[in-house]
């Protein structure tokens, strides 16, 4: 380490900035001042170099961040400053101190208590919680990998923030003495906090730098008469750090030892070729050798991206310094940074030509309208309403987590208002709200889910660790609102900021227009924080194509209340939803009330039917077997509230919900089963109920339905459903034979004396090759009493019962399976064959079908089979 310090000392002390600050004769500082501050820097550098030497151990794939990188920043800053900008001794000490600390926290050694201290950081807990969600239960290796990944990412995420603390924290020495990076206590106490803040600022946006570091720090008495221009120093640090991209960052032999992969390898490979930049007019020129071959194209493009970043930093700093009427740097841009072909003239390629052929969307509004509108969601107005409700629910859930609110706290308001310019639909939540950064970033970044971004950890530290699991996953839901109207307004205020922080984002002409951002009028700001989304409806909601109009194929259409529309879309949410129409309060949905309201009310909510609080006539009470029953496992985890519904052959009141929102219909069930979405549009889902829970629930349903006052045919269809669920049919009928529906015990008793049974699987219905018409068949068919028919659970338009087999994974049974088992119970072993036989007649015409013929297996056949 001492050799490294000695070898690099001359390089940074030869820079023009160092010489001008500490060696040249000055009118604003004495040699004693210069010597003391230079000595303080040398001592600080000696300790900081030991700290940054640890980075390679904790983040081995990172390019070089040791003291050679820190020393090189003096040179980069001198190149950028030229003869325009110089530093006095105090500024040079603060600048050098910020250089030494800006990356020094990318190691566990920067946390005096090591990994234990890092794990206490909110960001580490958030990252760890996020990565653990994809770790299978019991997989210790994957859990350790998630932990290590959280540690590495937390060091990168926190290093600038922790850099602010480094000047003032101490480490324990061998004699239990506190040891600081800045040894001189007087200098540390005066300059330490500003050095830390400037070191932190290299990761800020330029606007924050301008806002928080625009002042002048006065002179430190008895040490120097020089003041410190904080903005100048901060700007010089950020451009110097961005500029350093040459071979010293990526030694070839170090690459051979570390063997980085992926993006890290691309950074190593391009920097290993880069020369020091030089100045040409107002531009910084980068060159590289040897040229990049086609196999190294990814590395070249990584270089292009990096130099574009340097260009942005130079332009931002130039603007800020000029706006503040300070001397600008001599360099303002990077030559060739905005054109791959221009950059290739200096950062050369051989055997290929870099053409910026990155996949791009030339018409962003069109692609958003296509993928985020009807092409994704269909033409239903329910889709955008569902997405807007979901966004509100996520915001409220996040605030619950952050503030430790009760499980049912929070409210989402949905309002339909008639204003002078038309009808407006509004959604207002009292959730976390959005900062301007989020409002103008992830919200309108198509395909970028805020909740899964690193910005979410920065905006709401501790949220992921508190168990936040967002409903939104794809970053496309907001754009569905433009299916309802072109004029959209979003008003948002962070829950932890004052009213003046609220902002309004307006789209005045749909996705084809650029949104406007303005300060919110206090009267339009959500009172308790949160977000309000408003859309001016393109269509009158009461018209035939409107939001509240419901078409009926059997009668004239009707207009329904907004409360019914909202309740049907969000029937089982854990957040209260209040609905108003023309300022008239309508019926509310309480948080989690779908488990508490009576069965009739929940079924009415699902179907969008009569609401007992909205209509004069109350809903009729349900029969005992029509009650909806909760599906829970042994630990009490909830999977739904439902019953078997074998009566409705042409419609269903069964619903799969995802996070309380309606996803898709489900056949043979009335009520709600909890599911997980299977499409980005969330209009399809599959239930999450475990097979044992489904089997147990269906067995209980069989008991209730066996005692029900319903037709045997309906009971038989229910029995088929129970069989498919792997349940026990009990006393439900399972087979139609001899003009009667029979239970399992009745069937065994009736078939026991026989030596032959002909079975048709399912219910005999008309087929195209029958010698009678469908109308004749349905009006006159009479089945043969000799032919047994099984119950049929797959009927009518609700033939999509594949969800049952998805849950049971083949563990259920069919009615034919059950009949075969019952025949074995009656006869012992059986044998079967198939044949085409007469199964009945229609208007004197015989009807033929393929049937199974079952006979007992003789003792001789049994012995031969054995």
């Amino acid at each position: 380490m001492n050799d490294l310090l000695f070898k690099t000392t001359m390089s940074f002390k030869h820079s023009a900035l160092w010489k001008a600050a500490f060696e040249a004769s000055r009118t604003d500082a004495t040699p004693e001042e210069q010597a003391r501050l230079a000595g303080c820097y040398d001592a600080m550098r000696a300790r900081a170099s030991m700290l940054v030497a640890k980075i390679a151990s904790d983040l081995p794939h990172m390019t070089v961040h040791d003291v050679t990188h820190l020393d090189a920043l003096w040179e980069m800053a001198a190149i950028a400053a030229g003869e325009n900008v110089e530093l006095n001794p105090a500024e040079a000490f603060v600048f050098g101190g910020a250089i030494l600390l800006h990356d020094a926290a990318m190691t566990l050694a920067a946390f005096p208590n090591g990994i234990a201290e890092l794990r206490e950081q909110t960001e580490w807990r958030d990252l760890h919680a996020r990565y653990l969600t994809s770790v299978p239960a019991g997989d210790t290796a994957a859990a350790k990998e998630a932990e290590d990944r959280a540690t590495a990412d937390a060091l990168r995420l926190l290093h600038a923030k922790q850099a602010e603390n480094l000047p003032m924290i101490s480490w324990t020495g061998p004699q239990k003495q506190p040891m600081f990076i800045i040894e001189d206590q007087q200098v540390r106490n005066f300059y330490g906090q500003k050095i830390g803040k400037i070191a932190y600022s290299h990761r800020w946006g330029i606007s924050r730098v301008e806002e928080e570091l625009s002042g002048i720090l006065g002179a430190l008495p008895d040490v120097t008469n020089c003041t410190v221009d904080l903005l100048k120093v901060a700007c010089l640090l950020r451009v110097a750090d961005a500029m350093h991209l040459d071979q010293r960052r990526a030694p070839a032999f170090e690459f051979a030892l570390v063997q980085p992969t992926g993006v890290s390898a691309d950074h190593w490979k391009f920097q290993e070729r880069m020369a020091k930049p030089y100045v040409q007019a107002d531009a910084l020129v980068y060159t590289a050798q040897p040229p990049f071959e086609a196999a190294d194209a990814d590395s070249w493009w990584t270089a292009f991206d990096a130099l574009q970043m340097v260009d942005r930093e130079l332009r931002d700093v130039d603007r800020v310094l000029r706006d503040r009427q300070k001397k600008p740097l001599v360099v303002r841009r990077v030559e060739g940074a905005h054109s791959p072909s221009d950059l290739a003239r200096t950062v050369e390629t051989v055997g290929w030509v870099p053409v910026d052929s990155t996949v791009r969307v030339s018409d962003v509004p069109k692609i958003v309208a296509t993928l985020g509108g009807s092409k994704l969601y269909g033409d239903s107005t329910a889709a955008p309403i569902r997405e807007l409700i979901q966004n509100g629910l996520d915001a409220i859930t996040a605030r619950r987590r952050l503030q430790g609110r009760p499980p049912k706290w929070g409210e989402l308001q949905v309002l339909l208002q008639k204003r002078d310019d038309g009808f407006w639909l509004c959604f207002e939540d009292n959730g976390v709200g959005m900062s301007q950064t989020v409002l103008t970033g992830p919200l309108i970044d198509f395909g970028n889910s805020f909740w899964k971004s690193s910005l979410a950890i920065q905006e709401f530290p501790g949220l992921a660790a508190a168990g936040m699991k967002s409903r939104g996953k794809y970053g496309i839901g907001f754009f569905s609102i433009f299916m309802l109207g072109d004029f959209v307004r979003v008003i948002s205020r962070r829950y932890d900021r004052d009213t003046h922080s609220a902002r309004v984002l307006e789209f005045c002409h749909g996705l084809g227009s650029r949104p406007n951002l303005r300060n919110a009028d206090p009267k339009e700001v959500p009172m308790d924080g949160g977000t309000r989304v408003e859309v001016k409806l393109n269509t009158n909601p009461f018209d035939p194509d409107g939001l509240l109009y419901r078409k009926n194929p059997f009668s004239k259409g009707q207009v329904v209340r907004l409360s019914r529309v909202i309740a049907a879309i969000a029937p089982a949410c854990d957040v209260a939803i209040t609905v108003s129409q023309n300022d008239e309060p309508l019926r509310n949905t309480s948080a989690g009330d779908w488990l508490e309201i009576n069965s009739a009310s929940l079924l009415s909510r699902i179907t969008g039917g009569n609401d007992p609080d909205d209509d004069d006539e109350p809903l009729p009470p349900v029969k005992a077997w029509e009650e909806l029953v909760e599906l829970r496992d042994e630990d009490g985890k909830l999977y739904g509230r439902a019953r078997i519904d074998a009566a409705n052959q042409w419609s269903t009141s069964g619903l799969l919900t995802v996070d309380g929102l309606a996803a898709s219909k489900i056949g043979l069930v009335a009520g709600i089963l909890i599911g997980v979405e299977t499409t980005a549009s969330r209009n399809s889902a599959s239930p999450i109920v475990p097979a044992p829970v489904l089997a147990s629930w269906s067995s209980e349903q069989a008991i209730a339905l066996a005692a029900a006052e319903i037709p045997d045919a309906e009971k038989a269809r229910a029995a088929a459903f129970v069989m498919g669920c792997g349940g026990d049919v009990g006393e439900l009928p399972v087979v139609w034979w001899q003009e009667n529906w029979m239970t399992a015990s009745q069937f065994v008793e009736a078939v026991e004396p026989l030596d032959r049974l002909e079975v048709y699987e399912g219910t005999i219905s008309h087929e195209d090759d029958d010698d009678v018409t469908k109308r004749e068949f349905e009006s006159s068919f009479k089945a043969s009493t000799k032919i047994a028919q099984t119950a049929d659970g797959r009927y009518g338009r609700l033939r999509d019962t594949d969800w049952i087999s998805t849950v049971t994974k083949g563990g259920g049974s069919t009615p034919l399976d059950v009949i075969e088992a019952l025949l074995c119970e009656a006869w012992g072993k059986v044998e079967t064959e198939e044949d085409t036989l007469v199964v009945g007649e229609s208007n004197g015409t015989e009807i033929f079908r393929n049937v199974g013929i079952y006979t007992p297996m003789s003792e001789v056949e049994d012995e031969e089979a054995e």
Side-chain angles (χ1 to χ4, degrees):
M1 177 60 68
N2 289 334
D3 289 342
L4 181 61
L5 288 172
F6 177 77
K7 290 176 182 177
T8 58
T9 295
M10 297 304 292
S11 65
F12 78 91
K13 288 193 174 182
H14 281 170
S15 69
L17 288 174
W18 178 275
K19 286 183 175 183
F22 296 122
E23 296 179 5
S25 178
R26 301 185 63 90
T27 59
D28 60 353
T30 66
E32 289 77 19
E33 293 177 41
Q34 291 173 294
R36 178 168 181 184
L37 289 172
C40 284
Y41 179 78
D42 284 339
M44 182 181 179
R45 177 178 175 277
R47 290 190 171 179
S49 62
M50 299 179 197
L51 182 59
V52 297
K54 306 289 186 184
I55 295 175
S57 298
D58 292 328
L59 298 174
H61 287 185
M62 296 283 288
T63 51
V64 170
H65 284 73
D66 63 19
V67 73
T68 62
H69 166 54
L70 307 181
D71 289 345
L73 297 197
W74 283 93
E75 182 182 13
M76 296 297 109
I79 292 172
E83 297 181 356
N84 280 14
V85 177
E86 69 166 24
L87 301 173
N88 64 42
E91 290 172 336
F93 175 72
V94 173
F95 171 70
I99 281 177
L100 294 174
L101 301 185
H102 79 288
D103 282 343
M106 284 199 288
T107 170
L108 289 172
F111 298 82
N113 293 320
I115 185 64
E117 182 177 344
L118 181 65
R119 288 175 178 172
E120 292 175 358
Q121 305 300 311
T122 302
E123 290 83 353
W124 186 92
R125 296 199 303 270
D126 282 341
L127 289 165
H128 188 230
R130 179 178 289 183
Y131 298 153
L132 274 182
T133 58
S134 59
V135 174
D139 191 336
T140 55
K144 180 62 167 62
E145 184 179 340
E147 184 176 300
D148 292 343
R149 183 183 174 192
T151 298
D153 287 354
L155 288 174
R156 285 191 286 267
L157 181 64
L158 287 170
H159 82 274
K161 181 179 178 182
Q162 180 66 1
E164 183 178 18
N165 304 322
L166 291 180
M168 310 309 294
I169 64 177
S170 63
W171 291 259
T172 303
Q175 305 303 320
K176 305 297 183 183
Q177 76 276 30
M179 302 189 74
F180 295 87
I181 282 185
I182 306 175
E183 297 180 65
D184 188 312
Q185 181 177 349
Q186 183 185 13
V187 172
R188 178 176 69 247
N189 288 344
F190 188 79
Y191 289 115
Q193 289 185 340
K194 293 302 183 185
I195 289 174
K197 194 164 191 177
I198 291 173
Y200 185 8
S201 75
H202 84 283
R203 299 291 290 181
W204 297 353
I206 192 66
S207 59
R208 183 178 175 187
V209 174
E210 187 176 10
E211 180 181 345
E212 297 190 25
L213 292 171
S214 59
I216 303 294
L217 177 64
L220 172 57
D222 301 325
V223 174
T224 181
N225 290 316
C226 296
T227 61
V228 179
D229 184 332
L230 299 174
L231 183 62
K232 176 176 69 174
V233 172
C235 286
L236 205 54
L237 170 66
R238 67 190 297 118
V239 298
D241 185 44
M243 286 169 55
H244 189 212
L245 297 170
D246 60 54
Q247 294 180 8
R248 288 169 289 183
R249 300 296 307 276
F253 189 62
E254 186 77 8
F255 178 95
L257 297 175
V258 174
Q259 291 295 312
T261 59
V263 176
S264 293
D266 290 334
H267 279 275
W268 278 81
K269 289 177 181 179
F270 96 75
Q271 291 186 60
E272 187 271 333
R273 301 171 188 242
M274 301 295 286
K276 296 178 185 178
Y278 64 89
V279 179
Q280 189 175 71
D282 66 345
L284 199 62
V285 182
Y286 282 87
T287 58
Q289 284 297 316
F292 289 79
E293 297 180 352
D296 301 312
D298 287 344
S299 297
W300 190 94
W301 284 110
T302 303
F304 180 71
D305 292 340
L307 296 182
Q308 283 192 315
M309 181 270 293
V310 179
D311 184 78
R312 286 194 300 271
E313 290 288 4
L314 289 171
R315 292 176 186 273
D316 286 344
V317 164
D318 183 70
R319 178 190 59 78
V320 167
L321 293 177
R322 291 177 186 275
D323 287 350
R324 294 282 176 168
Q325 298 182 340
K326 298 179 184 293
K327 288 185 177 181
L329 306 178
V330 296
V331 290
R332 303 172 59 185
R333 61 189 179 87
V334 174
E335 183 68 27
H338 290 279
S339 168
S341 57
D342 286 350
L343 185 63
R345 295 172 185 170
T346 55
V347 182
E348 300 175 47
T349 63
V350 60
W352 67 288
V353 177
V355 178
D356 192 0
S357 55
T358 304
V359 175
R360 58 170 60 87
V361 178
S362 58
D363 189 346
V364 175
K366 181 177 180 180
I367 196 69
V368 169
T370 299
L371 296 181
S374 60
K375 293 296 187 297
L376 177 64
Y377 296 103
D379 295 325
S380 171
T381 56
I385 293 175
R386 182 176 64 243
E387 295 292 346
L388 291 168
I389 292 174
Q390 174 186 274
N391 290 346
L393 299 182
D394 276 339
I396 292 170
T397 301
R399 188 166 180 181
R400 285 178 184 170
R401 298 288 186 181
L402 286 169
Q403 295 187 314
R405 299 276 189 171
K408 294 186 177 182
W409 178 89
E411 179 185 36
L412 175 67
Q413 299 181 54
V414 184
L415 307 94
L416 179 62
Q417 298 175 331
K418 178 68 169 69
R419 302 178 185 175
D420 293 340
D421 58 348
F423 287 93
W424 287 75
L425 185 64
C426 312
F427 298 78
E428 182 173 324
D429 66 72
N430 57 351
V432 289
M434 289 180 281
S435 67
Q436 181 172 318
T437 302
V438 177
L439 195 62
T440 58
L443 176 69
I444 55 176
D445 185 357
F446 189 76
N448 179 16
S449 171
F450 166 72
W451 299 109
K452 294 188 176 299
S453 69
S454 59
L455 182 60
I457 293 178
Q458 299 172 47
E459 286 274 323
F460 302 115
L463 184 57
M468 173 67 181
K469 291 181 175 60
S470 66
R471 297 163 177 84
K473 297 179 177 64
Y474 307 106
I476 57 179
F478 169 73
F479 295 93
S480 65
I481 192 173
F482 292 97
M483 295 171 61
L484 299 175
D486 295 327
F487 197 131
V488 174
R489 182 181 293 125
V490 183
I491 309 119
S492 195
R493 167 194 161 198
R494 279 270 303 236
Y495 75 101
D496 54 355
R497 297 179 186 172
D498 61 23
T499 302
H500 298 293
S501 69
R503 297 291 183 268
V504 179
L505 190 70
E506 288 182 330
F507 296 80
C508 298
H509 304 288
L511 286 169
S513 63
R514 295 180 183 273
N516 300 320
L517 182 71
R518 62 174 173 83
N519 295 333
D521 185 295
K523 296 180 180 179
E524 61 184 342
V525 178
M527 184 179 300
D528 298 318
T531 301
R532 179 184 176 96
V533 181
E534 304 180 340
V535 56
K536 180 184 174 183
L537 299 176
N538 283 338
T539 305
N540 185 315
F542 303 98
D543 286 350
D545 292 329
L547 178 69
L548 302 180
Y549 193 87
R550 293 293 175 268
K551 297 177 180 179
N552 191 324
F554 303 108
S555 62
K556 186 177 180 181
Q558 62 176 340
V559 174
V560 299
R561 296 196 182 197
L562 180 62
S563 56
R564 296 188 193 174
V565 174
I566 300 301
I569 293 171
C573 292
D574 62 355
V575 172
I577 301 177
T578 62
V579 183
S580 297
Q581 188 170 322
N582 293 328
D583 297 324
E584 176 189 351
L586 301 179
R587 186 171 186 269
N588 301 335
T589 301
S590 301
D593 67 351
W594 69 287
L595 296 173
E596 301 164 357
I597 60 178
N598 62 53
S599 297
S601 295
L602 180 56
L603 290 173
S604 178
R605 177 184 296 179
I606 292 169
T607 58
N610 292 339
D611 191 319
D613 291 346
D614 288 346
D615 297 279
D616 296 332
E617 296 184 8
L619 293 170
V622 299
K623 305 291 195 302
W625 61 87
E626 295 175 322
E627 290 288 353
L628 304 179
V629 179
E630 292 182 4
L631 287 82
R632 295 184 183 269
D633 61 18
E634 293 179 352
D635 297 325
K637 183 177 179 180
L638 180 69
Y639 298 98
R641 183 186 176 198
R643 64 173 172 85
I644 294 175
D645 181 16
N648 296 316
Q649 298 188 44
W650 305 106
S651 64
T652 179
S653 53
L655 188 66
L656 280 170
T657 64
V658 177
D659 296 312
L661 301 172
S664 57
K665 296 289 187 178
I666 187 168
L668 301 175
V669 165
I672 290 174
L673 293 182
I674 297 172
V676 59
E677 75 270 7
T678 56
T679 62
S681 58
R682 299 187 183 89
N683 59 4
S684 180
S686 60
I688 62 171
V689 58
V693 174
L694 184 66
S696 176
W697 167 80
S698 66
S699 297
E700 294 174 0
Q701 286 287 292
I703 296 173
L705 288 170
E709 298 173 2
I710 58 177
D712 282 348
E714 185 178 327
K715 292 183 178 182
R717 288 194 293 269
F721 179 89
V722 174
M723 296 172 195
C725 294
D728 182 353
V729 297
E731 293 302 310
L732 289 176
V734 296
V735 60
W736 172 263
W737 188 40
Q738 296 179 345
E739 299 185 340
N740 287 297
W741 282 106
M742 297 184 178
T743 65
S745 58
Q746 291 171 338
F747 177 70
V748 170
E749 181 179 355
V751 80
E752 191 171 10
L754 304 180
D755 58 6
R756 177 184 171 97
L757 183 69
E758 298 161 0
V759 180
Y760 178 80
E761 185 176 11
T763 302
I764 302 172
S765 58
H766 182 264
E767 293 183 356
D768 291 341
D769 57 357
D770 288 334
D771 292 332
V772 294
T773 66
K774 183 177 181 181
R775 177 177 296 182
E776 286 180 301
F777 183 96
E778 292 177 348
S779 64
S780 64
F781 175 74
K782 183 175 179 59
S784 169
T785 57
K786 296 181 179 180
I787 303 295
Q789 300 177 54
T790 70
D792 188 356
R794 300 171 65 89
Y795 56 87
R797 296 191 305 176
L798 300 175
R799 295 187 177 277
D800 185 11
T801 54
D802 292 341
W803 67 270
I804 301 174
S805 59
T806 300
V807 172
T808 62
K809 294 180 173 58
S813 302
T814 67
L816 189 61
D817 293 333
V818 171
I819 288 177
E820 289 176 350
L822 294 175
L823 290 174
C824 288
E825 180 182 339
W827 296 341
K829 294 184 178 181
V830 300
E831 57 181 354
T832 181
E833 61 178 314
E834 292 186 0
D835 197 1
T836 300
L837 302 176
V838 175
V839 295
E841 60 89 25
S842 175
N843 279 346
T845 300
E846 292 181 331
I847 302 298
F848 293 84
R849 293 289 185 272
N850 191 50
V851 300
I853 302 171
Y854 294 86
T855 55
M857 184 178 291
S858 66
E859 294 183 3
V860 174
E861 291 173 327
D862 190 6
E863 291 174 358
E864 290 178 351
E866 291 178 354

